[in-house]
Amino acid sequence: MALGFFCLAIFLYLSLDPDSGYTTSASAASSGKEGVEITYGSAIKLMHEKTKFRLHSHDVPYGSGSGQQSVTGFPGVVDSNSYWIVKPVPGTTVKQGDAIKNGATIRLQHMKTRKWLHSHLHASPISGNLEVSCFGDDSNSDTGDHWKLIIEGSGKTWKQDQRVRLQHIDTSGYLHSHDKKYQRIAGGQQEVCGIREKRADNVWLAAEGVYLPLNESSK
């Protein structure tokens, strides 16, 4: 297990754009402890609280709607397609290793395909809510990739196993999932979509991942 996390840290070190301010250190530490700070540049898995499925994507397009890369909920824990790198929006002054404050606007980059977690007004395939897809690449991102972090409770910065919501800036939809599953292109995986209502079942938690050390200056 430790070797797997070390290899993931090496992958991050080699794959992130050094000109973006997000060149990672190979000493990035994984964590299974509660309360560990999530920092910009960390690669995490997001777990839907109600169903325990992980936010997931793979190089398979939707057959309807936007036709962009599909996003699903994945039932297993061990899958490399469920890692997302937490990044700020362009034009901000935050650095790799900085804490992520409640109310911050962030982007989530799918680690394997380099596309961004995205949403828009297309209808999702199963429920007809707001479609959530993956879009763009390292040098191609727009406001459809921007999400507001909302921490449940009194927390001021995002920590592992803390209940959070992600609200899409352009559509105001909350990142959501449910137990409705795909039968064909992603059999057994469940739909991920956006809904405009704040509900008990659109809560997520940061679970497994490589958490970069917290910058002392951001404490």
Side-chain angles (χ1 to χ4, degrees):
M1 180 67 74
L3 178 61
F5 282 120
F6 178 76
C7 290
L8 178 59
I10 291 293
F11 175 85
L12 287 168
Y13 175 76
L14 294 173
S15 64
L16 291 188
D17 179 4
D19 295 326
S20 68
Y22 283 82
T23 306
T24 64
S25 167
S27 65
S30 64
S31 173
K33 299 185 295 181
E34 291 186 9
V36 173
E37 201 84 38
I38 299 170
T39 57
Y40 287 104
S42 295
I44 67 173
K45 292 184 179 181
L46 280 171
M47 183 182 73
H48 184 238
E49 183 185 50
K50 184 175 181 181
T51 64
K52 311 305 180 190
F53 279 44
R54 269 63 174 173
L55 185 70
H56 178 92
S57 188
H58 42 237
D59 193 13
V60 176
Y62 284 120
S64 61
S66 69
Q68 293 174 2
Q69 183 171 300
S70 56
V71 173
T72 63
F74 189 79
V77 174
V78 182
D79 189 279
S80 61
N81 280 310
S82 299
Y83 281 107
W84 302 84
I85 303 168
V86 188
K87 294 192 176 183
V89 298
T92 59
T93 58
V94 297
K95 305 179 298 298
Q96 174 185 297
D98 281 354
I100 305 171
K101 296 178 181 179
N102 184 32
T105 300
I106 64 172
R107 297 179 296 167
L108 292 170
Q109 186 175 36
H110 189 240
M111 193 177 78
K112 199 161 188 179
T113 65
R114 314 303 294 172
K115 297 180 185 293
W116 304 95
L117 187 69
H118 187 86
S119 190
H120 35 220
L121 297 178
H122 290 283
S124 61
I126 297 179
S127 64
N129 288 303
L130 299 168
E131 182 190 273
V132 172
S133 64
C134 268
F135 174 78
D137 53 41
D138 285 316
S139 57
N140 183 17
S141 176
D142 61 26
T143 58
D145 309 329
H146 295 186
W147 299 83
K148 180 180 180 181
L149 175 73
I150 302 170
I151 297 172
E152 295 291 292
S154 58
K156 294 182 179 180
T157 59
W158 193 8
K159 296 181 180 179
Q160 190 181 25
D161 296 324
Q162 193 170 41
R163 301 174 74 246
V164 300
R165 301 176 194 273
L166 290 168
Q167 186 176 24
H168 190 243
I169 298 297
D170 283 358
T171 65
S172 299
Y174 292 94
L175 186 67
H176 179 77
S177 193
H178 45 67
D179 58 7
K180 296 181 175 63
K181 296 181 176 62
Y182 292 99
Q183 301 298 317
R184 296 178 24 185
I185 62 168
Q189 296 179 37
Q190 65 192 25
E191 184 184 64
V192 169
C193 59
I195 60 170
R196 290 194 173 93
E197 300 86 16
K198 183 179 179 181
R199 290 172 23 179
D201 53 356
N202 48 37
V203 171
W204 300 78
L205 303 93
E208 306 79 20
V210 173
Y211 294 82
L212 299 187
L214 179 66
N215 286 334
E216 291 296 318
S217 60
S218 71
K219 288 183 179 180

